[in-house]
Amino acid sequence: TVPPRESRRCSLPLALTGQSSGSAATGALQVAVKSPRQNGAVFYFSDQVPLEALLLPDAEQKASDAFAQQWQTSPEQARTVAAPAALGGVKQVVARLRALRWNLVTQQAMAGTPFTAAYFSGKTPGPEGEKTLLVQVVTAPGSPEAKVAVRSSVPGFAEMVFASMQRALA
């Protein structure tokens, strides 16, 4: 029971095996709360679930032919995201993304440039099974931005990844 003008916190597990309301991934969570004390009134609200809250912890993927094939065959979306110049390069990027359940696949210096590309994978559960996300983050020490490329066969995931990267690199 929550008295008027008071609030309570609760935590509920998300079940990601039910019916999907659409083909595009979204971080929108729609909630309905029924109140038996108010003649069965139902209160509706929505919230955003960050992608990193949905990433599975055991989604490690090795640099392999399978990774390369998936990278080459999945549609790409790319964007530049702001990153503080104090980020210091790829080591900090890797540490920040690992803390959010992104798994480092490999990293490599880009010949003749100060840039380093780091490749990450993540998996999310879903009604049709697990979905893999592949991400490339290109950074240079002292640069105020990072270039992010996302490869996924699921529409909508790229926007969620860009938001995740912005949170991680801010």
Side-chain angles (χ1 to χ4, degrees):
T1 303
V2 181
R5 291 181 287 285
E6 288 191 22
S7 64
R8 297 282 190 272
R9 289 188 165 267
C10 72
S11 182
L12 300 171
L14 288 176
L16 301 168
T17 56
Q19 292 252 331
S20 175
S21 63
S23 61
T26 176
L29 174 67
Q30 297 177 345
V31 181
V33 178
K34 187 173 183 179
S35 173
R37 293 192 177 254
Q38 295 181 330
N39 298 325
V42 180
F43 300 95
Y44 299 93
F45 64 93
S46 63
D47 199 0
Q48 289 292 315
V49 177
L51 177 60
E52 51 272 19
L54 302 174
L55 292 174
L56 298 172
D58 59 346
E60 189 171 340
Q61 187 170 11
K62 302 288 184 208
S64 66
D65 290 340
F67 176 87
Q69 181 180 4
Q70 185 177 357
W71 182 263
Q72 293 171 355
T73 59
S74 296
E76 177 183 279
Q77 288 186 276
R79 183 174 298 168
T80 299
V81 298
L87 192 57
V90 74
K91 286 184 181 180
Q92 282 92 354
V93 169
V94 169
R96 288 182 181 200
L97 294 181
R98 279 186 167 162
L100 295 177
R101 294 192 200 161
W102 288 101
N103 299 288
L104 179 66
V105 176
T106 190
Q107 66 186 50
Q108 60 189 26
M110 299 175 79
T113 73
F115 296 101
T116 300
Y119 295 86
F120 298 88
S121 67
K123 282 188 183 175
T124 61
E128 294 89 30
E130 294 178 355
K131 300 295 181 186
T132 300
L133 298 161
L134 304 179
V135 179
Q136 176 195 52
V137 180
V138 177
T139 60
S143 175
E145 60 188 27
K147 295 186 184 332
V148 177
V150 179
R151 301 279 181 130
S152 173
S153 61
V154 179
F157 263 145
E159 290 304 316
M160 294 175 71
V161 171
F162 295 136
S164 178
M165 295 295 124
Q166 189 67 61
R167 284 187 294 276
L169 301 178

